[in-house]
């Protein structure tokens, strides 16, 4: 009986302590997120590169391109897609105007394109699609 009473008291104490910690953590979080000034909020965008031939038809199959890059026009900073050479998606690019291009292969390449990222260009899948014209010698 004594063990049951002690275990019940310890369980109740544990519940009260964990509930009190959760309430105080939740109460502190909104103050931190609302403390940022409105001009410091930055928007990011996801971009996917697609290729079309010189007639505007989608390029199917592989290409000899060695990857893609994006350069922020205002800052000159370069961005690269995730770790694979054939990766065609840029994640979390800061808002701005970018020039997108591809590293050419031995006999092929893509024409660079400058695009301003805005929420009006975001597709239903959450990506802005940038279409580059693919050429082959």
């Amino acid at each position: 009986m004594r063990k049951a009473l002690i275990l019940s008291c310890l369980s109740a104490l544990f519940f009260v302590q964990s509930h009190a910690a959760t309430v105080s953590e939740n109460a502190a979080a909104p103050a931190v997120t609302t403390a940022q000034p409105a001009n410091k909020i930055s928007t990011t965008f996801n971009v996917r590169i697609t290729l079309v031939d010189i007639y505007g038809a989608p390029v199917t199959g592989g290409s000899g391109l060695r990857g893609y890059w994006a350069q922020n026009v205002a800052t000159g900073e370069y961005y690269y897609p995730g770790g694979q050479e054939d990766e065609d998606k840029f994640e979390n690019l800061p808002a701005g105007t970018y020039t997108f291009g591809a590293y050419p292969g031995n006999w092929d390449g893509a024409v660079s394109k400058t695009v301003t990222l805005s929420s009006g260009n975001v597709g239903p899948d959450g990506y802005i699609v940038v279409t580059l014209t693919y050429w082959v010698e």
Side-chain angles (χ1 to χ4, degrees):
M1 177 80 168
R2 186 180 274 183
K3 286 183 184 179
L5 185 59
I6 291 174
L7 287 176
S8 297
C9 288
L10 287 176
S11 297
L13 181 62
F14 176 77
F15 175 76
V16 170
Q17 286 290 350
S18 64
H19 181 68
T22 304
V23 170
S24 66
E25 288 171 9
N26 288 342
V32 173
T33 57
T34 57
Q36 294 181 348
N39 61 357
K40 290 288 185 178
I41 297 174
S42 66
T43 303
T44 60
F45 296 97
N46 298 326
V47 175
R48 184 177 61 247
I49 303 293
T50 60
L51 297 174
V52 295
D53 63 17
I54 59 172
Y55 304 106
V59 174
T60 57
S63 72
L65 300 178
R66 297 178 295 144
Y68 300 100
W69 52 266
Q71 181 185 23
N72 186 308
V73 173
T75 65
E77 185 174 0
Y78 280 87
Y79 295 86
Y80 305 95
Q84 299 178 9
E85 186 172 293
D86 60 347
E87 181 72 42
D88 62 352
K89 294 176 182 158
F90 293 86
E91 305 287 335
N92 300 319
L93 286 177
T97 301
Y98 292 84
T99 300
F100 292 92
Y103 294 106
N106 291 330
W107 303 102
D108 58 351
V111 179
S112 301
K113 186 174 190 178
T114 301
V115 176
T116 299
L117 305 181
S118 68
S119 58
N121 298 335
V122 177
D125 62 350
Y127 283 87
I128 295 174
V129 177
V130 175
T131 304
L132 302 180
T133 303
Y134 176 72
W135 55 265
V136 179
E137 285 188 34

